Amino acid sequence: MRFKNVFSIIGPAMVGPSSSHTAGAVRIGRVARQLLGTIPNKAAIKLYGSFAETYQGHGTDLALAAGLLDYDTDDARIRHSLKDAWSSGVEINFSLGVGHVSHPNTARVELWAGDRYAEIVGASIGGGNIMIHEMNGFDVQCTGEFPTLVLLHGDFPGVLSGVTHVLCEDGVNIGYMDVDRKARNGEAMTVIEADTKITAATQLKIQQLPHMIKSSVIDLTLRS
């Protein structure tokens, strides 16, 4: 991953009490929401480590709910986000996870909206920064700090060259890329962090490429 400046270490403008337990949790929720592509009808959130031990006292449950509603880290509505979710028809269930995780502030978020489904595993690693370790069962990573393209596609020759060709044509520079696959010639997921905004036109070009199943854009600078 790329260098983070001093302001990302200090943390973002936020509603407290904790950059790790609040701001980071908001961002995890927003990444899950944007991967789903719409507001969820139902959410199942499993908390691990420190998140599981202190989530109500530190407002982690409020922060994750706020992220699902697409509130930003400094939104005053975070304080009543669970009520807002209920009013919006979003059912949220929290549970405590067991077993080893790579970071003590970890959440697994599953979302449903009609026939849509999304699942991520993310950790709040300090200063409001996050690391997503898993998306829809694929072992891929992203930080949420940069515009991110998430692609589900067939594992065939030429798929990634087609994607990079479109990005090059549209002037999008790749800062980071991660790929995982289920099996040879099966489904694969590619995550690309870019230096500039990924437009709807660029996403559409990529979606129309051979063997492309689904494309999503995660950009925490955007609001739904």
Side-chain angles (χ1 to χ4, degrees), residues 67-219:
L68 300 185
L69 297 174
D70 206 33
Y71 297 170
D72 212 342
T73 56
D74 60 351
D75 196 314
R77 294 174 295 174
I78 291 173
R79 295 182 177 89
H80 46 77
S81 59
L82 286 172
K83 291 182 180 179
D84 291 350
W86 182 83
S87 299
S88 300
V90 183
E91 176 188 344
I92 305 177
N93 296 302
F94 292 93
S95 62
L96 306 184
V98 296
H100 175 75
V101 289
S102 60
H103 193 279
N105 298 331
T106 295
R108 178 181 295 274
V109 182
E110 291 184 87
L111 303 179
W112 295 264
D115 60 354
R116 299 189 189 188
Y117 173 78
E119 179 184 13
I120 69 165
V121 177
S124 178
I125 60 176
N129 301 305
I130 65 171
M131 182 68 70
I132 304 301
H133 296 288
E134 184 180 316
M135 291 186 180
N136 291 344
F138 289 90
D139 182 17
V140 290
Q141 293 188 343
C142 73
T143 64
E145 288 292 320
F146 307 94
T148 302
L149 189 62
V150 181
L151 305 174
L152 180 65
H153 56 85
D155 179 39
F156 297 105
V159 173
L160 293 185
S161 65
V163 172
T164 56
H165 178 73
V166 170
L167 294 177
C168 180
E169 279 192 329
D170 288 7
V172 179
N173 190 53
I174 296 173
Y176 172 82
M177 178 184 290
D178 195 9
V179 184
D180 187 31
R181 64 182 183 179
K182 296 294 187 182
R184 184 177 298 177
N185 297 329
E187 288 187 349
M189 178 171 283
T190 297
V191 171
I192 296 172
E193 290 185 339
D195 291 334
T196 54
K197 179 181 177 181
I198 301 166
T199 66
T202 297
Q203 184 184 359
L204 179 60
K205 291 179 186 177
I206 291 173
Q207 182 64 54
Q208 294 172 339
L209 291 172
H211 308 298
M212 192 61 57
I213 301 170
K214 182 181 179 182
S215 64
S216 303
V217 172
I218 295 170
D219 189 342

Side-chain angles (χ1 to χ4, degrees), residues 13-53:
M14 66 174 190
V15 174
S18 167
S19 61
S20 294
H21 287 72
T22 312
V26 169
R27 286 177 166 171
I28 290 171
R30 291 194 71 205
V31 168
R33 155 76 180 257
Q34 292 191 12
L35 182 63
L36 183 70
T38 188
I39 186 170
N41 304 127
K42 181 180 178 181
I45 302 176
K46 188 167 289 188
L47 304 170
Y48 295 85
S50 179
F51 269 5
E53 294 170 0

